[in-house]
Amino acid sequence: MAAVEKEEPVALLPSSNKEFLLGNHSYKSIDELLGNIVLDQTSHGKVWFKWLGFGFLFVNVLVASIAWLVYQGIGVWGNNQPVSWGFDIINFVWWIGIGHAGTLISAILLLLRQNWRNSINRFAEAMTLFAVMCAGMYPLLHTGRPWVAYWLFPYPNVLGMWPQFRSPLIWDVFAVSTYFTISIVFWFVGLIPDFATMRDRTVQPAVKKIWGLLAMGWRGSVKHWHRYEAAYLILAGLSTPLVLSVHSIVSFDFAVSIVPGWNVTLFPPYFVAGAVFAGFAMVITFAIPIRKLYHLEEVITMKHLDWMAKIMLATGTIVAYGYLCEVFYAFYSGSRWEQYLIHNRMGGPYSVLYWSLWICNGLAPLFLWSPKVRKNLVALMIISQFVSVGMWLERFVIIPMSLHRDYLPSSWGMYYPTVVDFGMFFGTIGFFIFMMFLFIRFLPMINIFEIKDLLLKLRHEEHHSEADASPVAVGGGE
Amino acid sequence: MAAVAMDSTSPAYHGMIAEFTDPDDILAAARKVRAAGYTHLDAYTPMPVHHLDDAIGFKDTKVQWTIFIAGLLGFAVGFGLQVYVNSIDYPLNVGGRPKLSWPQFIPVAYECTILFAGLAAALAMLAFNGLPRPNHPIFNAPRFELATQTSFFLCVEGTDPNFDHAEVKKLLESLSPVQVSDVFGDEPEGH
């Protein structure tokens, strides 16, 4: 820390914005750089179509898998007793976790006044939405009869039935649906001023009308901003505990049961850390190619990637610590079932996956200690892929590996996913890519007004030494 | 402009705007205009300019209160629903636990709190701002499309008790704006 202080004293301020917005920008150049990605539809080359097409291909795989599943019933999946939770729950938890980085960036970093979030929050929030959509499909289809999924919600009905509110599974219904609703609201509220900017910059009357409808007559009045900022800040304040509660509740699905390896109090914090870990890996995975494709290197800077990598490193070590704790628990519990579980993980039929998990989540992120690796895009991209795979493996290790050999050895069995399982898994990845590329083309993917705010803060920071005390005095003194 | 100035008493007259290109300039200008005794002010900016709300003397906490009340309501609804469902209407005996085992009702009550408060945040913000409102006299201001892009507009509204066209014009022009113009709403007859 001392060395940093000597180099540049500003670095200690939470809002040292210099490295987060490079180049000599004006409000106009920001409008052009960020707005023209949407306004100038010719700016999207073949690469965009290739990725959209790639995504769409797998959307079709997804549709086919779901159609076959609904037609045949969930017997087409590999899960059956004793492993009644397979790919469906693994992928549900995996996707929900990926979504969490978006909320973390938009809400928690806003509360912590981390201005660097301004460049990546919109994009990460969109990721959250699409990831939660992917996640939501799984439990919905796992009910077996998705057309009566509304039975999950409490409403007076002729069956005289109510949900069982003492079950974590019904908590999940409330947590995930609330999470999705609030994420959409947060995202949309953030978009309103940018919709107005798009409305005012569009020339074609028909397109202008669409932006006008979305902007709802936003005119940038300071009175509106006053209420807007209050609402936005409180939404962030609400989303922060929400995101922590969602993954905690997801972990309750396991922790509240008595299955060996599940019944641990460690689960909520360890799940949340894992979620952030996986989410940042996904943000990096998308940010690196997109900043290059749309020439956004000045807005999504190397410093952003560096800091995201650091968060990944921090949460990665928490996750690895969790794995160590699991081993310790088993040893310390004195329970032969817990101990057998660890033996089974390390040397059982799925042990390859367990050790791969350690390589992906325990070992790969450690390279991020080196600043050189954090500045190397290829290395970052590769490590992010390891993390994504690792977090998927973690859920495999937790779910089928605990279920396939628990208390009753006569009921032990193996779990093998089927083609439909893989079809749905790759299908949701395709759906995610498809939605992300549509989003990039048709909505401003970087928050225009917040980048302008960042630019203003940057200017005040530059004048900081010239003028006395606060940025306000600069304006007031003139 | 002279002909327009005479119309500043007409019911369609909205106010006079001055355009700035720097947020610090509009902040200084707003303070001066306010110091000159004008109270019916508004400013239009592409991004939130901090302290500009103080400068025009605007403060409103209705949104915050609405969210708070909605949050409490959400908790009450969420908790009450579970008590009614699992303890009164269809009591379930789960392992001999009390019928009102309230700790297990916390997660859902909590999610309902967030849901109600979050929806209230968005809806209250829009409602108190009077949005959606597709038309507003200020949109008739020249160059106003820049208010969401690069320019910062300060408006002294015609309803101000001290509004005097010549004096407001003099004051606004003294603040070295890009331009000063009168703003009229649409004719009452409409198009």
Side-chain angles (χ1 to χ4, degrees), chain A residues 62-97:
Chain A
L62 177 69
V63 171
S65 308
I66 292 178
W68 185 240
L69 175 86
V70 171
Y71 179 70
Q72 284 284 340
I74 56 166
V76 298
W77 280 349
N79 38 348
N80 206 337
Q81 296 302 337
V83 183
S84 46
W85 282 2
F87 262 40
D88 47 346
I89 307 299
I90 297 171
N91 295 337
F92 163 69
V93 181
W94 190 67
W95 277 118
I96 277 275

Side-chain angles (χ1 to χ4, degrees), chain A residues 193 218 220-222 224-226 228-229 449-450 452-454 456-457, chain B residues 23 45-53 152:
Chain A
W218 181 263
S221 157
V222 64
H224 291 186
W225 281 120
H226 180 83
Y228 179 90
E229 287 205 292
F449 82 86
E450 287 193 346
K452 288 179 184 165
D453 193 42
L454 188 66
L456 177 61
K457 287 197 177 105
Chain B
T45 59
M47 78 274 199
V49 176
H50 294 273
H51 309 290
L52 191 55
D53 42 5
F152 302 76

Side-chain angles (χ1 to χ4, degrees), chain A residues 124-136:
Chain A
E125 282 166 34
M127 228 184 64
T128 297
L129 288 180
F130 306 141
V132 176
M133 285 180 192
C134 291

Side-chain angles (χ1 to χ4, degrees), chain A residues 162 165-166 200 222 227 241 245, chain B residues 43 60 86 89 99 110 148:
Chain A
W162 288 106
F165 281 113
R166 292 182 183 91
D200 292 344
V222 64
R227 297 192 184 100
S245 81
Chain B
D60 182 42
N86 276 175
D89 190 52
K99 267 198 287 184
Y110 176 80
T148 55

Side-chain angles (χ1 to χ4, degrees), chain A residues 27-28 31 154 160-166 170-171 174-179 181-182 185 188-189 192-193 196-201 215-231 234-235 237-242 245-246 249 252 448-450 452-453 456-457 459-460 463 471-478, chain B residues 21-25 27-28 31-32 41-53 56 58-64 67 81-82 84-87 89-90 92 94 98-101 104-105 107-108 110-112 114-115 117-119 121-122 125-126 128-134 136 138-139 144-145 147-150 152 157:
Chain A
Y27 299 123
K28 196 171 164 59
D31 274 339
M161 296 284 281
W162 288 106
Q164 151 64 314
F165 281 113
R166 292 182 183 91
I170 207 76
W171 304 348
F174 278 79
V176 174
S177 54
T178 299
Y179 184 48
T181 313
I182 298 300
V185 166
F188 188 80
V189 168
I192 293 171
T197 305
M198 303 310 279
R199 173 196 66 200
D200 292 344
R201 291 198 63 218
M216 296 189 286
W218 181 263
R219 49 187 189 271
S221 157
V222 64
K223 296 174 183 173
H224 291 186
W225 281 120
H226 180 83
R227 297 192 184 100
Y228 179 90
E229 287 205 292
I234 294 178
L235 267 175
L238 293 168
S239 301
T240 300
L242 176 66
S245 81
V246 170
I249 289 178
F252 287 161
I448 299 172
F449 82 86
E450 287 193 346
K452 288 179 184 165
D453 193 42
L456 177 61
K457 287 197 177 105
R459 284 188 180 163
H460 284 149
H463 297 149
V472 193
V474 181
E478 277 169 20
Chain B
T21 50
D22 190 295
D24 294 331
D25 290 347
L27 190 56
R31 288 192 171 131
K32 280 185 190 151
L41 303 174
D42 205 341
Y44 301 89
T45 59
M47 78 274 199
V49 176
H50 294 273
H51 309 290
L52 191 55
D53 42 5
I56 68 155
F58 181 76
K59 189 173 168 60
D60 182 42
T61 53
K62 286 200 287 285
V63 172
Q64 286 93 321
I67 298 171
L81 172 80
Q82 296 175 82
Y84 174 73
V85 164
N86 276 175
S87 308
D89 190 52
Y90 197 91
L92 275 179
V94 181
K99 267 198 287 184
L100 187 71
S101 49
Q104 288 172 311
F105 296 158
V108 169
Y110 176 80
E111 298 301 334
C112 291
I114 304 270
L115 181 67
L119 290 176
M125 185 275 287
L126 290 175
F128 290 124
N129 281 345
L131 298 175
R133 175 172 176 180
H136 187 273
I138 200 74
F139 285 122
F144 192 73
E145 70 281 0
T148 55
Q149 301 175 54
T150 53
F152 302 76
E157 284 165 9

Side-chain angles (χ1 to χ4, degrees), chain B residues 2-191:
Chain B
V4 167
M6 282 167 66
D7 286 337
S8 70
T9 49
S10 90
Y13 188 75
H14 180 69
M16 200 184 304
I17 56 157
E19 179 186 346
F20 300 88
T21 50
D22 190 295
D24 294 331
D25 290 347
I26 195 177
L27 190 56
R31 288 192 171 131
K32 280 185 190 151
V33 171
R34 176 118 170 104
Y38 297 100
T39 49
H40 290 208
L41 303 174
D42 205 341
Y44 301 89
T45 59
M47 78 274 199
V49 176
H50 294 273
H51 309 290
L52 191 55
D53 42 5
D54 300 335
I56 68 155
F58 181 76
K59 189 173 168 60
D60 182 42
T61 53
K62 286 200 287 285
V63 172
Q64 286 93 321
W65 281 106
T66 311
I67 298 171
F68 178 66
I69 291 164
L72 290 182
L73 185 72
F75 186 86
V77 168
F79 196 82
L81 172 80
Q82 296 175 82
V83 171
Y84 174 73
V85 164
N86 276 175
S87 308
I88 298 168
D89 190 52
Y90 197 91
L92 275 179
N93 183 341
V94 181
R97 286 178 186 82
K99 267 198 287 184
L100 187 71
S101 49
W102 65 267
Q104 288 172 311
F105 296 158
I106 295 296
V108 169
Y110 176 80
E111 298 301 334
C112 291
T113 313
I114 304 270
L115 181 67
F116 277 51
L119 290 176
L123 295 177
M125 185 275 287
L126 290 175
F128 290 124
N129 281 345
L131 298 175
R133 175 172 176 180
N135 200 3
H136 187 273
I138 200 74
F139 285 122
N140 293 342
R143 291 162 59 88
F144 192 73
E145 70 281 0
L146 295 179
T148 55
Q149 301 175 54
T150 53
S151 284
F152 302 76
F153 291 84
L154 181 66
C155 178
V156 182
E157 284 165 9
T159 52
D160 193 287
N162 297 328
F163 194 87
D164 176 279
H165 192 269
E167 272 188 30
V168 173
K169 196 170 168 71
K170 208 174 111 197
L171 175 65
L172 288 181
E173 276 172 352
S174 75
L175 302 165
S176 56
V178 179
Q179 52 112 352
V180 172
S181 358
D182 287 297
V183 182
F184 291 88
D186 292 331
E187 294 296 318
E189 296 84 24
H191 295 285

Side-chain angles (χ1 to χ4, degrees), chain A residues 93-345:
Chain A
V93 181
W94 190 67
W95 277 118
I96 277 275
I98 286 171
H100 281 4
T103 321
L104 183 101
I105 289 170
S106 50
I108 301 184
L109 296 185
L110 179 73
L111 294 183
L112 297 176
R113 293 174 185 272
Q114 300 291 311
N115 291 321
W116 60 284
R117 74 179 262 292
N118 290 8
S119 322
I120 45 173
N121 70 332
R122 167 78 45 76
F123 168 79
E125 282 166 34
M127 228 184 64
T128 297
L129 288 180
F130 306 141
V132 176
M133 285 180 192
C134 291
M137 285 179 210
Y138 287 100
L140 200 66
L141 293 166
H142 193 195
T143 59
R145 287 187 286 165
W147 51 94
V148 289
Y150 60 89
W151 285 359
L152 290 166
F153 290 98
Y155 71 104
N157 56 46
V158 289
L159 305 169
M161 296 284 281
W162 288 106
Q164 151 64 314
F165 281 113
R166 292 182 183 91
S167 159
L169 295 181
I170 207 76
W171 304 348
D172 238 11
V173 172
F174 278 79
V176 174
S177 54
T178 299
Y179 184 48
F180 186 64
T181 313
I182 298 300
S183 296
I184 283 194
V185 166
F186 199 40
W187 188 64
F188 188 80
V189 168
L191 271 163
I192 293 171
D194 282 0
F195 284 147
T197 305
M198 303 310 279
R199 173 196 66 200
D200 292 344
R201 291 198 63 218
T202 305
V203 198
Q204 306 98 308
V207 184
K208 209 179 177 74
K209 220 160 244 175
I210 297 172
W211 291 120
L213 274 175
L214 290 167
M216 296 189 286
W218 181 263
R219 49 187 189 271
S221 157
V222 64
K223 296 174 183 173
H224 291 186
W225 281 120
H226 180 83
R227 297 192 184 100
Y228 179 90
E229 287 205 292
Y232 198 70
L233 191 67
I234 294 178
L235 267 175
L238 293 168
S239 301
T240 300
L242 176 66
V243 67
L244 301 179
S245 81
V246 170
H247 227 59
S248 297
I249 289 178
V250 168
S251 80
F252 287 161
D253 292 345
F254 307 98
V256 171
S257 79
I258 56 159
V259 175
W262 287 9
N263 188 10
V264 281
T265 48
L266 177 73
F267 262 26
Y270 149 68
F271 266 54
V272 171
V276 173
F277 184 47
F280 271 88
M282 194 56 98
V283 176
I284 290 176
T285 305
F286 267 87
I288 290 176
I290 280 166
R291 71 197 275 278
K292 193 162 165 51
L293 206 57
Y294 293 99
H295 312 292
L296 297 171
E297 285 94 345
E298 290 178 344
V299 184
I300 303 175
T301 66
M302 286 310 289
K303 194 75 182 167
H304 280 109
L305 295 172
D306 182 43
W307 283 25
M308 287 196 274
K310 281 181 181 169
I311 293 184
M312 215 159 78
L313 174 62
T315 47
T317 41
I318 296 174
V319 168
Y321 174 72
Y323 303 156
L324 285 177
C325 280
E326 286 183 326
V327 178
F328 175 73
Y329 275 159
F331 158 73
Y332 197 67
S333 68
S335 153
R336 56 189 300 190
W337 306 111
E338 293 284 346
Q339 284 165 3
Y340 178 72
L341 172 82
I342 296 297
H343 283 289
N344 188 40
R345 279 185 184 174

